[in-house]
Amino acid sequence: MKKLINHLDHVLAESLDGLAAAHQDILTLGARHQFVRRRVPTPGKVALVSGGGSGHEPLHAGFVGRGMLDAACPGQIFTSPTPDQMLAAAEAVNGGAGILFIVKNYSGDMMNFRMAAEMLDLPNATVLVNDDVAVEDSTHTTGRRGVAGTLVVEKMVGAAAEQGADLTACKALADAVNRSTASMGVALSSCTVPAVGRPTFQLGHDEIEMGVGIHGEPGRRRIPHASADAIAAELCGAILKDLEPGRGQRVLLLVNGFGGTPLHELYLMVNSARRILNAAGLDVVRHLTGNYVTSLEMAGCSITVTTLDDEFLALWDAPVHTAALRW
Amino acid sequence: MKKLINHLDHVLAESLDGLAAAHQDILTLGARHQFVRRRVPTPGKVALVSGGGSGHEPLHAGFVGRGMLDAACPGQIFTSPTPDQMLAAAEAVNGGAGILFIVKNYSGDMMNFRMAAEMLDLPNATVLVNDDVAVEDSTHTTGRRGVAGTLVVEKMVGAAAEQGADLTACKALADAVNRSTASMGVALSSCTVPAVGRPTFQLGHDEIEMGVGIHGEPGRRRIPHASADAIAAELCGAILKDLEPGRGQRVLLLVNGFGGTPLHELYLMVNSARRILNAAGLDVVRHLTGNYVTSLEMAGCSITVTTLDDEFLALWDAPVHTAALRW
């Protein structure tokens, strides 16, 4: 295992220190690296708090800032943060209008965020993101997994909260965005958790994992390496089967790299996916392409489609100022 | 070799089609994928044209847009674009104030850009970027290589051109930014050029290449895998020896991933590099962290330092709107 680290025990803390130093204008750290929060909290606003295991950077800490999250709680790599992290974060960013927890559907995260919600002495609600259409139930999950679509929920609800939506409206919007969003991924290689020191799973020389999870969980099936067009067809096919969008529907297309795939391959996948979505009568009016919800250095990508109405489109286009998304 | 591609002959064209589709608001393609240019040219402005082999995305096409490049000419992967591409690009973005070619110092790029400059019937100048302090002369280079510092030159000169600097001033500024910028990289793994199908070089199980080039060219030495702090110390040491900044000097720190290294490791390197630069009396006032000048899926990173005066700082902070950099 070759990684740019010093000591296994300090990977997370040193990485967060680097993030905070590099983005001092946007964010700051809680005590003992419990959370990353906006430098300047916004009174009177619903506070959006997310979090989850590390190793998916820039998710979530890279999405803390104006127009998106108020705080993110980083767990150890591929490990849920603890309820006390979530409590501390919620209290630090409380603007008096309530707390919305945004949680990817993994059993550990679910349990800890639920515990935090019960202990929190502030109005709060929780949205569960479960956009991954690959499999029902998985290694760490009951029901569908939450993957790259989480970014879309965080962006749109972040914009709404910034514009003054109350807790009930933010929660309803988050659920609606989640229902309008579907994702599926493919792995071309495994990844190695630093503390484990060996690849999470093994793929044959010419094998790929269709429907892989963002921790390397098994997907639908393992197949011989296929063309970008064939991969895009399977991913988009599963997504469209789930979303059942009508012809002429406007959509956002997020082609998300898992960390180890060159950007030019991701743009090639954009090209393949667009052809398929266009052929299905969809109008791809917004794009996001890059490494946003990663699995350490895994090679591969996921495709996420969100159906857009005027409200979603305006929320997507609203200004955002975070370490990883800015417009 | 597992890559998200369809056919070896179409990798570049399909990837550029995806890029252009995803960023229709910013850029458009020249005929036969010869170049990527801004959708809306700016009359009366010096036009900045760069280019080079593909495989380093988002460099250069991802930096086409307001406040940065006017056009980029993509060669095949790790292969120089041709003079006719450069001529076509220059003519397409000519705003009547001359053309500045921004060229990384590789023999093939140098020769082709020189040929284009001689054939071009427009006022033009060329800046040669050679920020890599690792080695003098290399596999594809006489003199020092041009690497991630190219981004800094493109950003600062792009801002100046946008503000109305003339060709002579842009050329002088570009040379000044290049002289104020130094970089060095490390590889933890090799990369595989699609058309070749096997890794460009071989590293042992526990070996790293200090001073690697962005095509996998040999660096200074091959050493056993070292800590992030030790790697940062060697990279920063070489950079500081070259720049010889005074105590209290303000600097920009760019920690650039080569494509296969997780973002949290890059931020950990930021933390290591900051400690070293601070100990040398420098004031790190600006940061950029991420995969910007890549080597396909190579694991590793480079560190770039640019010394900043008030002018450079203002040019760095000036608005930019490209696919890969936006503020």
Side-chain angles (χ1 to χ4, degrees), chain B residues 41-247:
Chain B
T42 313
K45 192 184 83 68
V46 173
L48 271 52
V49 177
S50 191
S54 295
H56 306 300
E57 288 69 25
L59 183 85
H60 296 273
F63 303 140
V64 169
R66 186 163 43 80
M68 220 159 160
L69 296 178
D70 291 85
C73 305
Q76 292 296 321
I77 288 177
F78 292 179
T79 303
S80 173
T82 57
D84 58 311
Q85 289 180 261
M86 299 154 191
L87 281 173
E91 280 156 14
V93 298
N94 171 33
I99 308 291
L100 182 69
F101 286 134
I102 302 178
V103 186
K104 302 192 300 301
N105 188 32
Y106 296 97
S107 305
D109 297 83
M110 279 289 295
M111 186 180 70
N112 289 344
F113 269 104
R114 188 179 298 134
M115 210 176 295
E118 283 167 8
M119 293 163 71
L120 183 66
D121 198 17
L122 293 169
N124 66 81
T126 296
V127 56
L128 199 67
V129 183
N130 63 349
D131 56 310
D132 189 343
V133 301
V135 290
E136 194 70 28
D137 303 338
S138 178
T139 316
H140 312 295
T141 320
T142 303
R144 300 186 345 182
R145 303 174 295 216
V147 291
T150 311
L151 179 164
V152 183
V153 174
E154 292 178 355
K155 170 67 186 79
M156 289 186 181
V157 183
E162 214 72 51
Q163 292 164 13
D166 68 15
L167 183 60
T168 306
C170 285
K171 158 72 175 157
L173 172 66
D175 287 333
V177 176
N178 180 53
R179 279 194 305 273
S180 306
T181 300
S183 303
M184 188 162 141
V186 61
L188 275 59
S189 78
S190 183
C191 54
T192 298
V193 175
V196 177
R198 58 176 189 282
T200 302
F201 61 105
Q202 295 288 345
L203 277 177
H205 176 68
D206 191 46
E207 264 183 341
I208 63 176
E209 179 79 33
M210 291 298 301
V212 72
I214 56 172
H215 313 89
E217 307 97 311
R220 290 187 169 187
R221 60 202 189 101
R222 207 162 270 198
I223 60 169
H225 186 25
S227 69
D229 281 346
I231 291 170
E234 180 156 347
L235 299 182
C236 290
I239 288 166
L240 295 180
K241 191 174 167 193
D242 181 75
L243 289 178
E244 297 187 330
R247 291 191 74 81

Side-chain angles (χ1 to χ4, degrees), chain A residues 87-199:
Chain A
L87 281 174
E91 280 156 14
V93 298
N94 171 33
I99 309 292
L100 182 69
F101 287 134
I102 302 178
V103 185
K104 303 194 298 301
N105 188 29
Y106 295 97
S107 306
D109 296 84
M110 279 289 295
M111 186 180 69
N112 289 342
F113 269 104
R114 188 179 299 134
M115 209 176 297
E118 284 167 9
M119 293 163 71
L120 184 64
D121 197 17
L122 292 169
N124 67 81
T126 296
V127 56
L128 199 65
V129 183
N130 63 349
D131 56 310
D132 189 343
V133 301
V135 289
E136 194 70 26
D137 303 337
S138 178
T139 315
H140 312 295
T141 318
T142 303
R144 298 184 350 180
R145 302 173 296 214
V147 291
T150 312
L151 179 164
V152 183
V153 174
E154 292 177 355
K155 171 66 187 78
M156 290 186 181
V157 183
E162 213 72 52
Q163 292 165 14
D166 67 15
L167 183 60
T168 306
C170 285
K171 158 72 175 157
L173 172 67
D175 287 333
V177 176
N178 180 52
R179 278 193 306 273
S180 306
T181 300
S183 303
M184 187 162 142
V186 61
L188 276 60
S189 77
S190 183
C191 54
T192 298
V193 176
V196 177
R198 57 177 190 281

